[in-house]
Amino acid sequence: KSYLLVNGTSGGILAAVMASVPKGKKLIMARNCHKSVFNALSLAGAEPVYAYPEFVSEYGISGAVMPDEIERLLAENPDAEAVILPSPNYYGICSDIAAIADTVHRAGKVLIVDQAHGAHLKFFSDYCGGTLSFPKSAEEQGADITINSVHKTLGSFTQSAVMNVNSDKTDLYL
């Protein structure tokens, strides 16, 4: 299911976290998540567990969140309900969502991807016939919920976004 959002990806992040993480439970989150994830934690009454992305020292920026970091945190926090991370991050670096999704799903958890800066990725898979070397979208790589800021990488009015629910792991009617 896809839901049109008029308040940007932030509204989708609030909805995804609150639908996936019950009060008092844990959310594994990339330390470089958008501030709306911190707001969602507060509203949900959830506890953060930080996943640290790799550091790209050549440029002094945050890189990808590695699958082994998520696997370690899931093993240390079996009571965590979901994982959220930005991909692409704010520097355009994508994490290996397919490997992370596999790890998260083996643990029986929900994977939420803030794909605010990657709404265009699905179009490259659909219309370029694999001739371009772009990462696949989080939807194609197994994310349970993906939130896209259409206004950032496609043409639309400011703050328009879409939340795509790609599995039945989350009760959308809580």
Side-chain angles (χ1 to χ4, degrees), residues 4-134:
L4 299 177
L5 308 170
V6 294
N7 56 352
T9 295
S10 296
I13 287 173
L14 293 173
V17 170
M18 291 175 67
S20 302
V21 185
K23 185 175 183 170
K25 295 294 185 173
K26 294 179 183 176
L27 172 67
I28 296 173
M29 60 179 285
R31 190 61 181 96
N32 61 335
C33 278
H34 187 265
K35 63 184 176 180
S36 61
V37 178
F38 294 91
N39 189 13
L41 283 170
S42 177
L43 291 171
E47 179 184 337
V49 175
Y50 296 117
Y52 287 87
E54 297 225 314
F55 183 71
V56 182
S57 58
E58 181 180 1
Y59 301 109
I61 61 173
S62 295
V65 174
M66 303 309 289
D68 60 338
E69 170 78 345
I70 299 301
E71 187 167 16
R72 178 183 68 79
L73 291 171
L74 284 166
E76 292 174 2
N77 298 277
D79 54 339
E81 297 291 323
V83 173
I84 186 169
L85 62 135
S87 184
N89 68 14
Y90 307 107
Y91 302 106
I93 298 172
C94 293
S95 295
D96 185 349
I97 298 300
I100 292 170
D102 182 54
T103 299
V104 170
H105 294 153
R106 272 189 279 115
K109 310 302 180 184
V110 175
L111 176 60
I112 305 165
V113 176
D114 172 359
Q115 194 170 247
H117 297 276
H120 61 294
L121 294 176
K122 181 74 170 107
F123 293 99
F124 288 113
S125 294
D126 286 350
Y127 300 109
C128 294
T131 59
L132 297 174
S133 178
F134 279 89

